[in-house]
Amino acid sequence: MATTAQPEPAERRGTGPGDDPFADWDWEDPEGLEARTDAFTENLARCASIDLVRPELPRTHQDFQELGATGIEFAAFRTRHPHGLGTDLVALHADTGATRPGPVYRIDGTHLFTQLDIARPLPFADRSVDWVYAEHLIEHVPLGTAVHWLGEVRRVLRPGGLLRLTTPDLARYIDGYLDGDEQFFRRHRRRLRTMRVGPPMPERRAFMLNQIFYHFGHRWIYDEAELRHVLDRAGYHEFAIERREFQSGARPDVAALDTAFRKDESIYLEAVAPGGPR
């Protein structure tokens, strides 16, 4: 499965002036917050217009070229890449209808989108895309699903193709827990408060460490070594794998997809396929 289910800043949720978006919110009840998370995702999945572009998915590199797409952004309702195909498990819906798996749509007149389940084989030919990007997706699926999906990504990347992964960095959370001044945790709580993602978080180090494992539908949290491990299991032995910084990488157009909202907690890792420029 794929998910974009993560709390969205309250000012973008369409709440009225008198509404309390955090009524009955309990940070210490992850299961109880699942319904809220689903509601946030449902709100994010609303769009103004859905137009059919292709009745079937592109399969080959030539198909992608004809579509005007060079790569795929996973867990993205509206990819910001001008030549990207966004995809998610969740359907997008407008007043006139909703997406379904199979076709390619244009969302709000701008963004290419199709529904995909990353737990299933990707419906694309070998060596069909130049890049793949996934921001805060891999932590939402079990480890085995992540390895399967990464293997499929490796298969569809062209020679010299790029995979860019971003995910919460477990090392930052562990360092934050061990830091007596709690500098990272303080910054993280302040950032979420500024963005109005829920009410203020409890100011306890154990809570801050636990929430990254048990909130937002997370299933497995990574540090750099763990990311390299799943890439190795998925067959990336001949790829050039390198840790990157926020919005910096082998392809500036792909690195530019990193969002500042997640900068403070993220790790960025790229894998470049053999057979092309690095």
Side-chain angles (χ1 to χ4, degrees):
M1 62 178 292
T3 180
T4 52
Q6 192 153 343
E8 185 74 2
E11 59 268 24
R12 286 194 258 162
R13 293 182 206 141
T15 55
D19 295 338
D20 178 5
F22 310 128
D24 302 321
W25 185 297
D26 184 357
W27 274 118
E28 298 178 26
D29 180 18
E31 293 184 1
L33 289 178
E34 284 185 6
R36 282 184 170 275
T37 300
D38 292 343
F40 292 152
T41 301
E42 179 73 9
N43 185 50
L44 290 174
R46 285 203 58 83
C47 53
S49 65
I50 299 173
D51 298 307
L52 179 66
V53 175
R54 267 179 77 112
E56 71 286 326
L57 290 171
R59 275 191 46 79
T60 66
H61 179 57
Q62 182 176 344
D63 290 341
F64 274 91
Q65 286 184 312
E66 292 174 355
L67 184 62
T70 56
I72 304 168
E73 181 177 358
F74 286 89
F77 290 153
R78 299 167 183 84
T79 178
R80 291 179 290 111
H81 196 289
H83 303 292
L85 174 63
T87 180
D88 198 277
L89 176 65
V90 176
L92 293 179
H93 51 93
D95 292 341
T96 54
T99 64
R100 61 180 178 83
V104 176
Y105 300 93
R106 194 172 302 280
I107 305 303
D108 296 338
T110 304
H111 315 278
L112 291 174
F113 175 82
T114 191
Q115 279 183 248
L116 284 180
D117 184 349
I118 68 169
R120 302 175 62 85
L122 296 180
F124 309 119
D126 296 357
R127 303 184 173 194
S128 52
V129 298
D130 294 322
W131 58 270
V132 166
Y133 178 87
E135 182 180 60
H136 285 227
L137 164 66
I138 196 170
E139 71 272 15
H140 288 272
V141 298
L143 194 65
T145 302
V147 171
H148 158 80
W149 170 68
L150 288 170
E152 284 292 282
V153 169
R154 176 179 56 80
R155 178 182 64 79
V156 304
L157 280 175
R158 288 170 53 77
L162 170 73
L163 164 65
R164 184 176 176 92
L165 292 171
T166 95
T167 188
D169 185 1
L170 178 59
R172 293 197 184 196
Y173 279 87
I174 298 300
D175 289 345
Y177 178 84
L178 296 174
D179 176 15
D181 293 331
E182 297 188 49
Q183 294 183 58
F184 167 67
F185 286 163
R186 290 176 189 275
R187 286 196 307 269
H188 191 62
R189 286 194 297 264
R190 185 166 57 247
R191 178 180 68 92
L192 294 182
R193 187 164 62 248
T194 299
M195 298 296 293
R196 299 195 68 206
V197 180
M201 280 185 164
E203 296 183 10
R204 305 194 315 272
R205 288 186 298 167
F207 169 81
M208 293 300 297
L209 193 59
N210 273 284
Q211 60 89 26
I212 197 60
F213 285 96
Y214 294 109
H215 284 80
F216 319 122
H218 289 175
R219 300 294 299 276
W220 200 268
I221 305 300
Y222 296 81
D223 60 5
E224 181 177 349
E226 193 74 352
L227 277 177
R228 288 178 178 271
H229 169 72
V230 291
L231 287 168
D232 185 67
R233 282 188 56 189
Y236 285 71
H237 317 298
E238 298 182 0
F239 279 59
I241 300 173
E242 186 172 349
R243 184 165 182 165
R244 298 291 193 171
E245 297 299 324
F246 172 70
Q247 291 192 346
S248 175
R251 287 190 56 146
D253 60 324
V254 177
L257 296 173
D258 298 342
T259 58
F261 174 55
R262 293 177 166 128
K263 176 183 177 182
D264 74 314
E265 64 176 339
S266 295
I267 182 174
Y268 304 89
L269 206 69
E270 290 187 342
V272 178
R278 298 182 183 180

